[in-house]
Amino acid sequence: MSEMAMSFAALAGFVVGAVAVLFYRNQIESPRRAAAAEVPDPGALPQGVASVLAVLPSSAVVLDAHDRVLRASSAARAFGLVKGERLMAAELLALARQVRRDGEIRESEIDVAGHKFGQETTSFAVRVAPLGSYGQVLVLAEDQTERRRVEAVRRDFVANVSHELKTPVGALSLLAETIQDAADDPVAVTRFAGRMQHEAARLTYLVQDLITLSRIQGAEPIPTPGQVAIDEAIHDAIDRCNTRASAKDITLATGGAEGLRIWGDDELLVTALRNLIDNAIAYSPEHTRVVVSVRPAGDSVEISVSDQGIGIPEESLERIFERFFRVDAARSRATGGTGLGLAIVKHVAVAHAGEVSVWSKEGSGSTFTLRLPAFGGTAVPVQPASPLEAAR
């Protein structure tokens, strides 16, 4: 046999031996690997859980048997429920341990110190459940802060409406009984009938304001916006307030730019301006002035209502746009105010994608300013199209 043939035979023998060893090792180790594959890693999530957690809107956290965080959604970290591999809420951790101990699903509500959007506290509805058979626990937390706030606002609104309606209705009932008892006294009947008219008017204003507020308080955009001429809206609002102003010898004046227009609803704008002017008249002394002025402000129009009234205390400025809030409750009721006027103004501004602000100093009067988007995106005067239109 030649030397080349012997080398080839040796190489063939080596390959066959290597294959045999690999086959033997595979026969022995395959069952071991299969057995190992059947034993899940206690630190791994069950199949498919990660995909489900990724699409959940709630804050989701998975804990292992040693309370270490295996998976946490971005919302859970944003709210401060999780830091690193730790669950920070002690109440949630206690619930998770109870669930791990007895395997029962638990639900609760907790408050956590605020870590998001400047909230002082965040309220959560939580659900804790066992996950798999290796001590893992799933924690789901749903932010309930806004829902609770809305429920509180709704309760306060109903309570305030009930109180405000009860006052004029009760007064009307009492006055009717008084008139009935004083039927033989024409002077008394006339006096009490006048009081009944006052209370009936107050009740009418309250119902009208409630209807207006309910229509616009959803912060929804105006359904059919269009061009609104500021000059015409101011003229209409002043016309509706002239009687009250004349009774106190208050002059209603206008000033500033003319011919400006906004994009919105003319009736809502007139309502907002009427409320601002009425408010100025109610809180101004006799023989003073209320001025409505307009000026362009880039892509917006600013409409200001200024008075020479009693002003607003600094501590009340943040609350004056709340429904039924009154700086001076006695004066407001004496003038027939409903406590809803400024709330309506605020919601009208929001409905127009604008805002309302206030400057005030006690003893020096107040200035309320509506800033609303200009028609066409730029606050420029609209020139009359014809001599006929100019005459109007």
Side-chain angles (χ1 to χ4, degrees), residues 230 234 255 257 260 262 292-298 300-305 355 357 368-373 379:
I230 301 296
I234 292 175
L260 296 177
I262 66 164
V292 184
S293 60
V294 184
R295 77 179 189 92
S300 301
V301 176
E302 290 187 351
I303 312 170
S304 298
V305 178
E355 60 183 5
S357 58
F368 288 84
T369 301
L370 274 171
R371 185 183 178 95
L372 306 173

PDB file of all heavy atoms in Angstrom, residues 230 234 255 257 260 262 292-298 300-305 355 357 368-373 379:
ATOM      1  N   ILE A 230     -66.822  91.320  14.888  1.00  0.00           N
ATOM      2  CA  ILE A 230     -66.680  91.722  16.288  1.00  0.00           C
ATOM      3  C   ILE A 230     -67.531  92.962  16.592  1.00  0.00           C
ATOM      4  O   ILE A 230     -68.198  93.027  17.631  1.00  0.00           O
ATOM      5  CB  ILE A 230     -65.202  92.009  16.622  1.00  0.00           C
ATOM      6  CG1 ILE A 230     -64.344  90.762  16.357  1.00  0.00           C
ATOM      7  CG2 ILE A 230     -65.063  92.455  18.072  1.00  0.00           C
ATOM      8  CD1 ILE A 230     -64.679  89.601  17.217  1.00  0.00           C
ATOM      9  N   ILE A 234     -70.370  93.156  19.571  1.00  0.00           N
ATOM     10  CA  ILE A 234     -70.281  94.105  20.689  1.00  0.00           C
ATOM     11  C   ILE A 234     -71.532  94.984  20.737  1.00  0.00           C
ATOM     12  O   ILE A 234     -72.090  95.242  21.816  1.00  0.00           O
ATOM     13  CB  ILE A 234     -69.011  94.964  20.549  1.00  0.00           C
ATOM     14  CG1 ILE A 234     -67.764  94.087  20.763  1.00  0.00           C
ATOM     15  CG2 ILE A 234     -69.030  96.125  21.552  1.00  0.00           C
ATOM     16  CD1 ILE A 234     -66.459  94.824  20.521  1.00  0.00           C
ATOM     17  N   GLY A 255     -64.138 101.072  21.994  1.00  0.00           N
ATOM     18  CA  GLY A 255     -62.920 101.666  21.481  1.00  0.00           C
ATOM     19  C   GLY A 255     -62.029 100.630  20.845  1.00  0.00           C
ATOM     20  O   GLY A 255     -62.345  99.438  20.842  1.00  0.00           O
ATOM     21  N   ALA A 257     -59.657  98.877  17.675  1.00  0.00           N
ATOM     22  CA  ALA A 257     -59.722  98.588  16.243  1.00  0.00           C
ATOM     23  C   ALA A 257     -61.144  98.243  15.817  1.00  0.00           C
ATOM     24  O   ALA A 257     -61.929  97.705  16.592  1.00  0.00           O
ATOM     25  CB  ALA A 257     -58.774  97.445  15.898  1.00  0.00           C
ATOM     26  N   LEU A 260     -62.647  94.035  12.653  1.00  0.00           N
ATOM     27  CA  LEU A 260     -62.011  92.736  12.874  1.00  0.00           C
ATOM     28  C   LEU A 260     -63.060  91.635  12.929  1.00  0.00           C
ATOM     29  O   LEU A 260     -64.217  91.856  13.325  1.00  0.00           O
ATOM     30  CB  LEU A 260     -61.194  92.744  14.161  1.00  0.00           C
ATOM     31  CG  LEU A 260     -59.999  93.701  14.192  1.00  0.00           C
ATOM     32  CD1 LEU A 260     -59.319  93.655  15.541  1.00  0.00           C
ATOM     33  CD2 LEU A 260     -59.020  93.355  13.082  1.00  0.00           C
ATOM     34  N   ILE A 262     -63.650  87.198  13.755  1.00  0.00           N
ATOM     35  CA  ILE A 262     -63.121  85.946  14.287  1.00  0.00           C
ATOM     36  C   ILE A 262     -63.819  84.791  13.582  1.00  0.00           C
ATOM     37  O   ILE A 262     -64.782  84.977  12.833  1.00  0.00           O
ATOM     38  CB  ILE A 262     -63.318  85.818  15.811  1.00  0.00           C
ATOM     39  CG1 ILE A 262     -64.822  85.714  16.146  1.00  0.00           C
ATOM     40  CG2 ILE A 262     -62.644  86.949  16.549  1.00  0.00           C
ATOM     41  CD1 ILE A 262     -65.095  85.203  17.538  1.00  0.00           C
ATOM     42  N   VAL A 292     -65.611  98.607  26.327  1.00  0.00           N
ATOM     43  CA  VAL A 292     -65.331  97.396  25.554  1.00  0.00           C
ATOM     44  C   VAL A 292     -64.376  97.790  24.433  1.00  0.00           C
ATOM     45  O   VAL A 292     -64.721  98.630  23.589  1.00  0.00           O
ATOM     46  CB  VAL A 292     -66.618  96.782  24.965  1.00  0.00           C
ATOM     47  CG1 VAL A 292     -66.292  95.467  24.254  1.00  0.00           C
ATOM     48  CG2 VAL A 292     -67.660  96.565  26.053  1.00  0.00           C
ATOM     49  N   SER A 293     -63.187  97.225  24.433  1.00  0.00           N
ATOM     50  CA  SER A 293     -62.185  97.592  23.433  1.00  0.00           C
ATOM     51  C   SER A 293     -61.700  96.357  22.683  1.00  0.00           C
ATOM     52  O   SER A 293     -61.755  95.233  23.199  1.00  0.00           O
ATOM     53  CB  SER A 293     -61.000  98.298  24.098  1.00  0.00           C
ATOM     54  OG  SER A 293     -60.393  97.459  25.062  1.00  0.00           O
ATOM     55  N   VAL A 294     -61.230  96.582  21.462  1.00  0.00           N
ATOM     56  CA  VAL A 294     -60.785  95.492  20.584  1.00  0.00           C
ATOM     57  C   VAL A 294     -59.412  95.842  20.028  1.00  0.00           C
ATOM     58  O   VAL A 294     -59.142  97.009  19.696  1.00  0.00           O
ATOM     59  CB  VAL A 294     -61.771  95.291  19.407  1.00  0.00           C
ATOM     60  CG1 VAL A 294     -61.344  94.102  18.555  1.00  0.00           C
ATOM     61  CG2 VAL A 294     -63.188  95.102  19.921  1.00  0.00           C
ATOM     62  N   ARG A 295     -58.543  94.829  19.925  1.00  0.00           N
ATOM     63  CA  ARG A 295     -57.254  95.063  19.287  1.00  0.00           C
ATOM     64  C   ARG A 295     -56.780  93.788  18.613  1.00  0.00           C
ATOM     65  O   ARG A 295     -57.056  92.677  19.102  1.00  0.00           O
ATOM     66  CB  ARG A 295     -56.218  95.558  20.285  1.00  0.00           C
ATOM     67  CG  ARG A 295     -55.631  94.503  21.206  1.00  0.00           C
ATOM     68  CD  ARG A 295     -54.586  95.102  22.133  1.00  0.00           C
ATOM     69  NE  ARG A 295     -53.873  94.064  22.868  1.00  0.00           N
ATOM     70  CZ  ARG A 295     -52.736  93.501  22.457  1.00  0.00           C
ATOM     71  NH1 ARG A 295     -52.199  93.880  21.295  1.00  0.00           N
ATOM     72  NH2 ARG A 295     -52.129  92.581  23.185  1.00  0.00           N
ATOM     73  N   PRO A 296     -56.062  93.925  17.475  1.00  0.00           N
ATOM     74  CA  PRO A 296     -55.487  92.744  16.829  1.00  0.00           C
ATOM     75  C   PRO A 296     -54.294  92.238  17.628  1.00  0.00           C
ATOM     76  O   PRO A 296     -53.547  93.024  18.215  1.00  0.00           O
ATOM     77  CB  PRO A 296     -55.066  93.270  15.456  1.00  0.00           C
ATOM     78  CG  PRO A 296     -54.831  94.733  15.660  1.00  0.00           C
ATOM     79  CD  PRO A 296     -55.790  95.168  16.731  1.00  0.00           C
ATOM     80  N   ALA A 297     -54.091  90.913  17.648  1.00  0.00           N
ATOM     81  CA  ALA A 297     -52.969  90.318  18.365  1.00  0.00           C
ATOM     82  C   ALA A 297     -52.427  89.144  17.554  1.00  0.00           C
ATOM     83  O   ALA A 297     -52.645  87.973  17.894  1.00  0.00           O
ATOM     84  CB  ALA A 297     -53.396  89.858  19.754  1.00  0.00           C
ATOM     85  N   GLY A 298     -51.759  89.474  16.439  1.00  0.00           N
ATOM     86  CA  GLY A 298     -51.185  88.420  15.594  1.00  0.00           C
ATOM     87  C   GLY A 298     -52.264  87.614  14.907  1.00  0.00           C
ATOM     88  O   GLY A 298     -53.044  88.133  14.106  1.00  0.00           O
ATOM     89  N   SER A 300     -54.752  86.331  16.465  1.00  0.00           N
ATOM     90  CA  SER A 300     -55.918  86.367  17.346  1.00  0.00           C
ATOM     91  C   SER A 300     -56.467  87.783  17.441  1.00  0.00           C
ATOM     92  O   SER A 300     -55.845  88.755  17.005  1.00  0.00           O
ATOM     93  CB  SER A 300     -55.557  85.859  18.746  1.00  0.00           C
ATOM     94  OG  SER A 300     -55.059  84.543  18.712  1.00  0.00           O
ATOM     95  N   VAL A 301     -57.661  87.854  18.025  1.00  0.00           N
ATOM     96  CA  VAL A 301     -58.292  89.139  18.320  1.00  0.00           C
ATOM     97  C   VAL A 301     -58.553  89.182  19.820  1.00  0.00           C
ATOM     98  O   VAL A 301     -59.059  88.214  20.397  1.00  0.00           O
ATOM     99  CB  VAL A 301     -59.616  89.308  17.552  1.00  0.00           C
ATOM    100  CG1 VAL A 301     -60.306  90.606  17.961  1.00  0.00           C
ATOM    101  CG2 VAL A 301     -59.372  89.286  16.049  1.00  0.00           C
ATOM    102  N   GLU A 302     -58.195  90.298  20.454  1.00  0.00           N
ATOM    103  CA  GLU A 302     -58.428  90.451  21.882  1.00  0.00           C
ATOM    104  C   GLU A 302     -59.560  91.441  22.117  1.00  0.00           C
ATOM    105  O   GLU A 302     -59.529  92.574  21.619  1.00  0.00           O
ATOM    106  CB  GLU A 302     -57.161  90.930  22.586  1.00  0.00           C
ATOM    107  CG  GLU A 302     -56.064  89.875  22.630  1.00  0.00           C
ATOM    108  CD  GLU A 302     -54.876  90.302  23.474  1.00  0.00           C
ATOM    109  OE1 GLU A 302     -54.834  91.486  23.877  1.00  0.00           O
ATOM    110  OE2 GLU A 302     -53.983  89.458  23.711  1.00  0.00           O
ATOM    111  N   ILE A 303     -60.563  90.995  22.880  1.00  0.00           N
ATOM    112  CA  ILE A 303     -61.705  91.837  23.237  1.00  0.00           C
ATOM    113  C   ILE A 303     -61.684  92.007  24.755  1.00  0.00           C
ATOM    114  O   ILE A 303     -61.772  91.016  25.488  1.00  0.00           O
ATOM    115  CB  ILE A 303     -63.034  91.208  22.800  1.00  0.00           C
ATOM    116  CG1 ILE A 303     -62.959  90.741  21.344  1.00  0.00           C
ATOM    117  CG2 ILE A 303     -64.188  92.171  23.010  1.00  0.00           C
ATOM    118  CD1 ILE A 303     -64.149  89.897  20.914  1.00  0.00           C
ATOM    119  N   SER A 304     -61.564  93.242  25.213  1.00  0.00           N
ATOM    120  CA  SER A 304     -61.443  93.510  26.648  1.00  0.00           C
ATOM    121  C   SER A 304     -62.656  94.284  27.153  1.00  0.00           C
ATOM    122  O   SER A 304     -63.167  95.172  26.468  1.00  0.00           O
ATOM    123  CB  SER A 304     -60.175  94.299  26.951  1.00  0.00           C
ATOM    124  OG  SER A 304     -59.014  93.566  26.573  1.00  0.00           O
ATOM    125  N   VAL A 305     -63.101  93.930  28.348  1.00  0.00           N
ATOM    126  CA  VAL A 305     -64.182  94.638  29.022  1.00  0.00           C
ATOM    127  C   VAL A 305     -63.616  95.155  30.341  1.00  0.00           C
ATOM    128  O   VAL A 305     -63.254  94.363  31.224  1.00  0.00           O
ATOM    129  CB  VAL A 305     -65.392  93.730  29.271  1.00  0.00           C
ATOM    130  CG1 VAL A 305     -66.489  94.487  30.028  1.00  0.00           C
ATOM    131  CG2 VAL A 305     -65.938  93.183  27.956  1.00  0.00           C
ATOM    132  N   GLU A 355     -59.014  81.738  24.823  1.00  0.00           N
ATOM    133  CA  GLU A 355     -58.848  81.770  26.272  1.00  0.00           C
ATOM    134  C   GLU A 355     -59.383  83.088  26.812  1.00  0.00           C
ATOM    135  O   GLU A 355     -59.584  84.049  26.064  1.00  0.00           O
ATOM    136  CB  GLU A 355     -57.374  81.619  26.652  1.00  0.00           C
ATOM    137  CG  GLU A 355     -56.479  82.719  26.084  1.00  0.00           C
ATOM    138  CD  GLU A 355     -55.021  82.503  26.412  1.00  0.00           C
ATOM    139  OE1 GLU A 355     -54.704  81.457  27.001  1.00  0.00           O
ATOM    140  OE2 GLU A 355     -54.200  83.392  26.074  1.00  0.00           O
ATOM    141  N   SER A 357     -58.763  85.810  30.192  1.00  0.00           N
ATOM    142  CA  SER A 357     -57.891  86.150  31.311  1.00  0.00           C
ATOM    143  C   SER A 357     -58.469  87.353  32.036  1.00  0.00           C
ATOM    144  O   SER A 357     -59.382  88.036  31.540  1.00  0.00           O
ATOM    145  CB  SER A 357     -56.468  86.452  30.826  1.00  0.00           C
ATOM    146  OG  SER A 357     -56.472  87.522  29.889  1.00  0.00           O
ATOM    147  N   PHE A 368     -61.430  92.085  31.916  1.00  0.00           N
ATOM    148  CA  PHE A 368     -61.509  90.717  31.405  1.00  0.00           C
ATOM    149  C   PHE A 368     -61.192  90.758  29.913  1.00  0.00           C
ATOM    150  O   PHE A 368     -61.731  91.602  29.185  1.00  0.00           O
ATOM    151  CB  PHE A 368     -62.900  90.125  31.628  1.00  0.00           C
ATOM    152  CG  PHE A 368     -63.192  89.791  33.064  1.00  0.00           C
ATOM    153  CD1 PHE A 368     -63.652  90.760  33.936  1.00  0.00           C
ATOM    154  CD2 PHE A 368     -62.988  88.505  33.538  1.00  0.00           C
ATOM    155  CE1 PHE A 368     -63.915  90.459  35.256  1.00  0.00           C
ATOM    156  CE2 PHE A 368     -63.258  88.182  34.855  1.00  0.00           C
ATOM    157  CZ  PHE A 368     -63.711  89.165  35.723  1.00  0.00           C
ATOM    158  N   THR A 369     -60.336  89.842  29.454  1.00  0.00           N
ATOM    159  CA  THR A 369     -59.911  89.839  28.058  1.00  0.00           C
ATOM    160  C   THR A 369     -60.164  88.485  27.414  1.00  0.00           C
ATOM    161  O   THR A 369     -59.674  87.463  27.902  1.00  0.00           O
ATOM    162  CB  THR A 369     -58.415  90.180  27.942  1.00  0.00           C
ATOM    163  OG1 THR A 369     -58.187  91.468  28.521  1.00  0.00           O
ATOM    164  CG2 THR A 369     -57.981  90.201  26.477  1.00  0.00           C
ATOM    165  N   LEU A 370     -60.942  88.506  26.341  1.00  0.00           N
ATOM    166  CA  LEU A 370     -61.164  87.319  25.513  1.00  0.00           C
ATOM    167  C   LEU A 370     -60.160  87.336  24.366  1.00  0.00           C
ATOM    168  O   LEU A 370     -60.065  88.328  23.633  1.00  0.00           O
ATOM    169  CB  LEU A 370     -62.583  87.321  24.938  1.00  0.00           C
ATOM    170  CG  LEU A 370     -63.712  86.742  25.774  1.00  0.00           C
ATOM    171  CD1 LEU A 370     -65.049  87.059  25.108  1.00  0.00           C
ATOM    172  CD2 LEU A 370     -63.554  85.239  25.940  1.00  0.00           C
ATOM    173  N   ARG A 371     -59.407  86.262  24.215  1.00  0.00           N
ATOM    174  CA  ARG A 371     -58.460  86.145  23.104  1.00  0.00           C
ATOM    175  C   ARG A 371     -58.936  84.990  22.227  1.00  0.00           C
ATOM    176  O   ARG A 371     -58.901  83.834  22.639  1.00  0.00           O
ATOM    177  CB  ARG A 371     -57.051  85.875  23.628  1.00  0.00           C
ATOM    178  CG  ARG A 371     -55.972  85.869  22.543  1.00  0.00           C
ATOM    179  CD  ARG A 371     -54.614  85.531  23.137  1.00  0.00           C
ATOM    180  NE  ARG A 371     -53.589  85.464  22.125  1.00  0.00           N
ATOM    181  CZ  ARG A 371     -52.777  86.460  21.800  1.00  0.00           C
ATOM    182  NH1 ARG A 371     -52.880  87.617  22.426  1.00  0.00           N
ATOM    183  NH2 ARG A 371     -51.863  86.302  20.865  1.00  0.00           N
ATOM    184  N   LEU A 372     -59.383  85.324  20.993  1.00  0.00           N
ATOM    185  CA  LEU A 372     -60.008  84.355  20.114  1.00  0.00           C
ATOM    186  C   LEU A 372     -59.307  84.337  18.758  1.00  0.00           C
ATOM    187  O   LEU A 372     -58.791  85.364  18.303  1.00  0.00           O
ATOM    188  CB  LEU A 372     -61.492  84.698  19.917  1.00  0.00           C
ATOM    189  CG  LEU A 372     -62.321  84.864  21.202  1.00  0.00           C
ATOM    190  CD1 LEU A 372     -63.708  85.375  20.876  1.00  0.00           C
ATOM    191  CD2 LEU A 372     -62.385  83.547  21.972  1.00  0.00           C
ATOM    192  N   PRO A 373     -59.284  83.167  18.080  1.00  0.00           N
ATOM    193  CA  PRO A 373     -58.613  83.065  16.774  1.00  0.00           C
ATOM    194  C   PRO A 373     -59.258  83.983  15.735  1.00  0.00           C
ATOM    195  O   PRO A 373     -60.475  84.028  15.595  1.00  0.00           O
ATOM    196  CB  PRO A 373     -58.797  81.591  16.394  1.00  0.00           C
ATOM    197  CG  PRO A 373     -59.063  80.887  17.681  1.00  0.00           C
ATOM    198  CD  PRO A 373     -59.800  81.868  18.535  1.00  0.00           C
ATOM    199  N   ALA A 379     -55.263  88.804  12.205  1.00  0.00           N
ATOM    200  CA  ALA A 379     -56.213  89.816  12.675  1.00  0.00           C
ATOM    201  C   ALA A 379     -56.034  91.097  11.878  1.00  0.00           C
ATOM    202  O   ALA A 379     -55.228  91.961  12.219  1.00  0.00           O
ATOM    203  CB  ALA A 379     -56.002  90.084  14.165  1.00  0.00           C
TER     204      ALA A 379
END
